[in-house]
Amino acid sequence: MAEYADIIIDISHEKLDHTFQYRIPAHLAGKIYPGVLVNVPFGRGNSLRRGFVVEVKGQAEFDEDKIKDLDSVAEDSVAIESQLISLAAWMRKNYGATMNQALKTVIPVKQKVKAKEKRMVCLCMEKEEAKEQLLLFQKKHYTARARLLEELLAHPEISYEIVTQKLNVSPAVIRALEEKQILEITKERKYRNPAGHLRKSEYQVKLNDMQRKAVDTVLSNMQKGVQKTYLLHGVTGSGKTEVYMELIADVQKKGRQAIVLIPEIALTYQTVMRFYARFGDRVSIINSRLSQGERYDQFLRAKNGEIDIMIGPRSALFTPFLHLGLIIIDEEHEGSYKSESLPRYHARETAIERARMADASVMLGSATPSVDSYYHALNGRYELIELNRRVAEKPLPLCDIVDLREELKKGNRSILSVKLQRLIADRLAKKQQIMLFLNRRGFSGFVSCRACGHVIKCPHCDVSLSLHKESGKEKLICHYCGYEEAKPSVCPECASKYIGGFKAGTQMIESVVAKLFPEARVLRMDFDTTRSKDGYEHILSAFAGHEADILIGTQMIVKGHDFPNVTLVGILAADMSMNAGDYRAAERTFQLLTQAAGRAGRGEEPGEVVIQTYNPGHYSIVTAKKQDYGAFYQAEIAMRKLVSYPPVSNMLLMLFTAEKEKEAAYAAAYFAALTAKAEIDGLKIIGPASAAIGKVKDIYRRVIYFKHQDYAQLVQLKDRIELFLKGRTDLNQVNISFDFNPINGI
Ligand code: ADP
Ligand code: ZN
Ligand code: ZN
């Protein structure tokens, strides 16, 4: 039977959607697959044109008579597009999506935009004079001005965006210094390296023994032609970034390129400047603020060989480097590496596949590796490299756990424990800063007892049940399997009547703090206060400038930011992330607590952390207090094994969305029954159930989870379902999509 190939003639792209179908002649059978560059007869004259194969199909989608034969494989080309298209095909297969969605993810759309002028902030005062000015600012506690001037003394030209976005200095402050003729803003058409004046040698550090060993391990493998995935496990400050840079320098020396993925939120000013200082204008940075057109320009520079190193969040993975040698994924445990739109790919797995295609290596780095990666490292799929000391020994912050059950017994029903209140008062008196952290991420409304800490869980799935209100009645639902029970009115463990939904919000905390500490200046950072375009930066720069004493916020505040004056971090309700209703809740709690603790005591003063919880004996809290990753991992992996969760098993989520609840429910039930009938060996079907967020913008959401030891079996199942769906017009009202090993909570 003949096969057919969909071809893109013009990869430069408004036309990505526009493919042409050709028949694959018998003599080319088996040589045509996604990414191959071919010659095809085109147009009326049938002149030969080149095009990329994006998909091979078993059936013609047009009138058989009108389909032409593909001519030949174009021999000479090593186009980077070939590699990216085959990567897209791999993503489509392994994560589920249409080929078009996959292509749009890996190939940026070209848009005709005018090249933007780059603004630079330049020091225009003599250094000596500037130093005097700096002293003046410091004396007057103009912290933002001082910070900017200090940086300008070190780097006399810095790009405007980096000053506002990474140094957290507001445009108003820049303008004020411009008016005083301390600095000027110049417009550059071409991008200049903001640290170009530095001599490279100034920035070389000599690696310590541990770092040297890490680098040598990778380099000697590369020398032998062995390309691998490494997991670099090292606490914050253990020198991971220096290891990355040393490896990149070597890759660069060999004429190859490197991609560095860093979660956007952790891509701080200090990090950016370190890469510039070492690699000058051979490095480029992208972030989500860039328009499609700007991103395209950056990718074009990469393709043209103008740069060797690309730094950025998830999407930087698709930088079209032709001789890619190394991919680094820093903070590899971060949830932002998983895409939430189709294809729902994970940057880690996709990086490993891209590296395999390019014969490159991958290095994953983290202080708190994901359970998945650590599991693969212990099983030998990755090579584990550890940096177990900090470069400059700084003591870990002091960490106290406060048992909120005891608070209740003592009659304190406030969200702030007595201990935390006392410490806040102490820091306010000392003019030091405080961060209060409330994690609402993935929060789904569990029910717990304030007297004994008992949390009501699903008897089948070992996750917390979520509280739902339906026509006035309260019930508890499992978001994996759909199990339901009525909400109890007394605690099943201790019969206390203090059982109920867990309520806490950043706004509520703000008002509690305002009442208890009327003299304190408070900033709040959450979804509401950061919705405006620069809200996030404004709050951070105000807090960095000590315009507030207390910063209250969600997980947004725990990442990456250095506030040397913060000496107290309060984690108000560790239980919120611990009982989030999904199997990664404990892992996320451990990571968040470890990170939050890392925010305290970054400066001269030692830091202190208070963790408030109803469940002080929970292993994620006990191990986070001791900063003992190994102990956490052992406890967690035992639980995953017991209940067959990833990475021990694999999970496929099938999501049904529809405008009518009945239709979503019907389709979900239908597919649950259908897959059960297929009797696939080793397949577990869980659900159907209402999704954790059962309704979004009036669209109803239902889920089924499939579990299987073997990922490939789940891919096959998805393929079979997709095929089955092709013929079914009766299910048109329901949108069906897939998510492999979901992590962000659906
Ligand atoms: P991580 O990425 O693990 O948090 P970094 O690479 O940022 O660690 O290192 C922490 C600090 O220690 C940085 O200021 C860095 O410049 C410094 N540092 C790292 N390695 C060395 C070294 N071998 N000698 C001196 N300073 C170092
Ligand atoms: Zn109880
Ligand atoms: Zn369940």
Side-chain angles (χ1 to χ4, degrees):
M1 210 180 66
E3 286 200 311
Y4 302 84
D6 288 348
I7 312 280
I8 300 183
I9 302 288
D10 183 2
I11 195 85
S12 62
H13 311 292
E14 291 106 289
K15 305 204 176 88
L16 259 186
D17 303 26
H18 207 75
T19 57
F20 299 89
Q21 198 161 62
Y22 287 86
R23 192 180 302 103
I24 302 175
H27 71 278
L28 290 180
K31 291 187 183 153
I32 304 298
Y33 45 88
V36 173
L37 189 60
V38 292
N39 301 311
V40 292
F42 195 74
R44 266 196 232 150
N46 279 337
S47 58
L48 284 190
R49 294 277 297 269
R50 284 158 50 118
F52 291 99
V53 176
V54 295
E55 210 169 347
V56 174
K57 291 174 173 161
Q59 276 175 328
E61 281 164 357
F62 301 93
D63 192 349
E64 185 70 48
D65 300 339
K66 290 191 181 139
I67 298 185
K68 302 173 191 174
D69 272 10
L70 194 150
D71 182 82
S72 51
V73 174
E75 303 286 351
D76 54 326
S77 159
V78 280
I80 179 62
E81 284 83 359
S82 289
Q83 220 186 77
L84 290 173
I85 290 169
S86 29
L87 187 63
W90 179 90
M91 288 163 71
R92 191 199 72 73
K93 179 160 181 56
N94 282 278
Y95 298 107
T98 65
M99 190 56 194
N100 199 15
Q101 285 164 330
L103 282 172
K104 282 192 168 147
T105 307
V106 302
I107 296 175
V109 177
K110 178 164 147 191
Q111 278 171 344
K112 290 183 184 69
V113 284
K114 267 210 313 225
K116 238 198 184 165
E117 280 179 334
K118 287 279 173 199
R119 283 182 298 174
M120 303 292 288
V121 177
C122 309
L123 184 67
C124 63
M125 190 179 245
E126 285 302 319
K127 278 211 165 170
E128 288 313 309
E129 208 181 331
K131 278 180 194 158
E132 278 169 32
Q133 190 68 48
L134 175 62
L135 284 177
L136 205 69
F137 286 158
Q138 283 164 340
K139 226 166 71 194
K140 288 189 179 168
H141 295 291
Y142 288 163
T143 45
R145 291 171 197 218
R147 191 162 68 243
L148 175 54
L149 191 50
E150 217 173 340
E151 283 304 322
L152 282 171
L153 276 163
H155 314 287
E157 288 180 17
I158 310 175
S159 98
Y160 192 90
E161 279 77 37
I162 287 181
V163 172
T164 54
Q165 293 171 18
K166 299 286 175 219
L167 196 56
N168 291 328
V169 171
S170 69
V173 169
I174 300 177
R175 219 174 304 121
L177 296 199
E178 191 184 15
E179 277 162 17
K180 290 189 130 185
Q181 298 186 342
I182 294 170
L183 57 78
E184 61 184 355
I185 295 166
T186 60
K187 291 185 177 136
E188 276 283 310
R189 270 201 64 85
K190 228 182 128 276
Y191 195 72
R192 268 205 280 172
N193 165 20
H197 59 284
L198 296 170
R199 269 180 296 121
K200 279 192 180 178
S201 58
E202 289 176 39
Y203 267 75
Q204 301 285 9
V205 300
K206 192 173 174 303
L207 297 187
N208 65 30
D209 290 350
M210 269 185 331
Q211 289 168 317
R212 190 71 256 164
K213 210 171 133 222
V215 168
D216 288 345
T217 303
V218 178
L219 292 187
S220 77
N221 276 334
M222 283 178 171
Q223 203 76 42
K224 286 180 255 168
V226 177
Q227 305 288 358
K228 280 187 149 182
T229 301
Y230 303 89
L231 174 61
L232 183 65
H233 176 208
V235 292
T236 317
S238 58
K240 294 188 293 297
T241 310
E242 293 298 332
V243 170
Y244 304 153
M245 293 202 288
E246 193 67 19
L247 289 173
I248 294 168
D250 191 81
V251 163
Q252 189 185 35
K253 226 171 22 202
K254 295 190 180 115
R256 299 179 74 172
Q257 297 97 32
I259 293 171
V260 183
L261 302 188
I262 296 181
E264 186 145 10
I265 207 154
L267 194 55
T268 59
Y269 176 78
Q270 286 90 344
T271 311
V272 170
M273 291 313 264
R274 275 167 82 185
F275 277 91
Y276 274 125
R278 176 123 187 206
F279 298 106
D281 52 14
R282 301 302 294 175
V283 47
S284 177
I285 290 171
I286 57 171
N287 58 43
S288 65
R289 284 163 200 272
L290 296 187
S291 67
Q292 283 273 18
E294 287 170 312
R295 194 159 79 106
Y296 184 82
D297 288 346
Q298 292 303 314
F299 278 11
L300 205 60
R301 295 178 68 210
K303 194 176 152 184
N304 293 341
E306 290 170 38
I307 57 170
D308 307 314
I309 299 142
M310 180 65 94
I311 303 177
R314 192 174 68 220
S315 63
L317 181 56
F318 306 112
T319 307
F321 282 133
L322 194 50
H323 302 291
L324 185 64
L326 179 66
I327 303 173
I328 283 162
I329 305 186
D330 192 31
E331 312 272 355
E332 65 88 28
H333 60 276
E334 273 292 309
S336 61
Y337 286 127
K338 178 96 182 325
S339 169
E340 290 182 32
S341 52
L342 291 167
R344 297 192 177 103
Y345 70 93
H346 199 298
R348 194 194 303 135
E349 298 296 329
T350 311
I352 292 171
E353 177 61 16
R354 179 157 188 209
R356 192 191 63 74
M357 289 173 170
D359 196 27
S361 290
V362 177
M363 177 169 270
L364 314 171
S366 175
T368 52
S370 62
V371 168
D372 300 59
S373 293
Y374 207 72
Y375 178 79
H376 292 315
L378 294 186
N379 283 349
R381 198 180 149 211
Y382 306 160
E383 181 166 344
L384 183 63
I385 302 178
E386 296 196 89
L387 299 178
N388 42 30
R389 259 180 299 114
R390 293 189 173 195
V391 174
E393 286 295 342
K394 237 187 204 167
L396 292 171
L398 206 63
C399 186
D400 312 300
I401 296 176
V402 171
D403 185 342
L404 288 173
R405 296 171 304 185
E406 296 298 320
E407 294 288 312
L408 187 73
K409 273 191 206 154
K410 283 188 238 153
N412 175 24
R413 290 165 70 179
S414 159
I415 181 86
L416 300 181
S417 62
V418 174
K419 171 144 203 174
L420 190 53
Q421 288 183 27
R422 183 166 52 72
L423 290 175
I424 292 174
D426 172 71
R427 297 311 194 267
L428 288 174
K430 289 183 183 149
K431 304 248 174 300
Q432 295 170 353
Q433 287 177 295
I434 299 148
M435 285 166 96
L436 297 179
F437 167 59
L438 184 78
N439 173 41
R440 288 190 61 87
R441 163 96 184 274
F443 176 68
S444 60
F446 60 95
V447 164
S448 64
C449 171
R450 296 186 66 180
C452 79
H454 179 71
V455 175
I456 303 194
K457 291 195 161 187
C458 174
H460 312 294
C461 305
D462 200 38
V463 299
S464 311
L465 294 176
S466 302
L467 186 61
H468 284 251
K469 242 187 211 146
E470 251 168 56
S471 45
K473 271 213 200 91
E474 290 187 311
K475 59 182 181 180
L476 299 172
I477 298 180
C478 171
H479 291 309
Y480 284 152
C481 73
Y483 170 85
E484 283 184 20
E485 62 181 51
K487 190 197 144 227
S489 53
V490 297
C491 173
E493 285 290 306
C494 75
S496 154
K497 63 181 172 21
Y498 288 114
I499 185 156
F502 199 93
K503 289 188 209 81
T506 42
Q507 251 168 325
M508 180 190 111
I509 289 160
E510 189 181 21
S511 64
V512 170
V513 169
K515 235 180 253 154
L516 282 169
F517 306 100
E519 75 285 7
R521 297 165 302 165
V522 178
L523 277 170
R524 173 165 63 91
M525 180 142 106
D526 55 21
F527 183 71
D528 287 334
T529 57
T530 54
R531 216 170 325 175
S532 73
K533 193 166 157 281
D534 300 320
Y536 180 72
E537 261 88 36
H538 273 308
I539 294 171
L540 286 179
S541 82
F543 193 61
H546 207 159
E547 289 164 40
D549 308 300
I550 303 179
L551 178 61
I552 298 170
T554 54
Q555 66 276 2
M556 290 179 203
I557 67 175
V558 296
K559 307 252 162 86
H561 306 285
D562 258 332
F563 300 113
N565 201 32
V566 171
T567 57
L568 175 63
V569 170
I571 295 150
L572 299 180
D575 307 62
M576 275 192 152
S577 55
M578 216 155 64
N579 299 312
D582 74 275
Y583 75 91
R584 286 179 200 260
E587 175 176 1
R588 221 160 30 227
T589 302
F590 178 82
Q591 287 162 353
L592 281 164
L593 295 183
T594 312
Q595 272 174 355
R599 294 306 106 201
R602 311 282 280 194
E604 296 305 310
E605 295 289 320
E608 191 160 359
V609 183
V610 175
I611 301 175
Q612 302 191 150
T613 177
Y614 288 99
N615 201 344
H618 191 278
Y619 63 90
S620 64
I621 291 187
V622 176
T623 54
K625 176 186 156 86
K626 288 192 265 180
Q627 306 254 325
D628 187 347
Y629 180 83
F632 166 75
Y633 175 81
Q634 292 305 337
E636 179 66 14
I637 201 74
M639 195 283 279
R640 304 265 177 109
K641 275 187 184 141
L642 200 67
V643 206
S644 303
Y645 283 122
V648 182
S649 181
N650 286 289
M651 249 170 137
L652 169 61
L653 161 76
M654 191 172 174
L655 176 67
F656 303 82
T657 55
E659 276 177 35
K660 294 207 179 91
E661 189 173 12
K662 233 169 61 189
E663 276 167 351
Y666 169 77
Y670 179 84
F671 278 95
L674 191 74
T675 42
K677 223 167 59 192
E679 291 185 359
I680 297 165
D681 236 8
L683 183 74
K684 274 187 217 145
I685 304 165
I686 300 138
S690 174
I693 309 169
K695 191 172 151 190
V696 178
K697 292 182 188 144
D698 287 326
I699 301 286
Y700 290 89
R701 296 148 57 88
R702 292 276 164 146
V703 294
I704 307 176
Y705 287 89
F706 300 105
K707 277 190 200 168
H708 201 288
Q709 202 78 31
D710 183 5
Y711 194 98
Q713 287 286 331
L714 293 177
V715 171
Q716 238 178 54
L717 175 66
K718 174 217 53 166
D719 288 345
R720 278 171 71 176
I721 293 172
E722 273 179 349
L723 205 65
F724 176 85
L725 277 170
K726 275 198 178 143
R728 296 293 296 251
T729 44
D730 58 323
L731 293 166
N732 275 352
Q733 301 303 312
V734 185
N735 192 321
I736 295 175
S737 64
F738 296 94
D739 192 348
F740 284 83
N741 292 336
I743 67 172
N744 291 319
I746 289 292

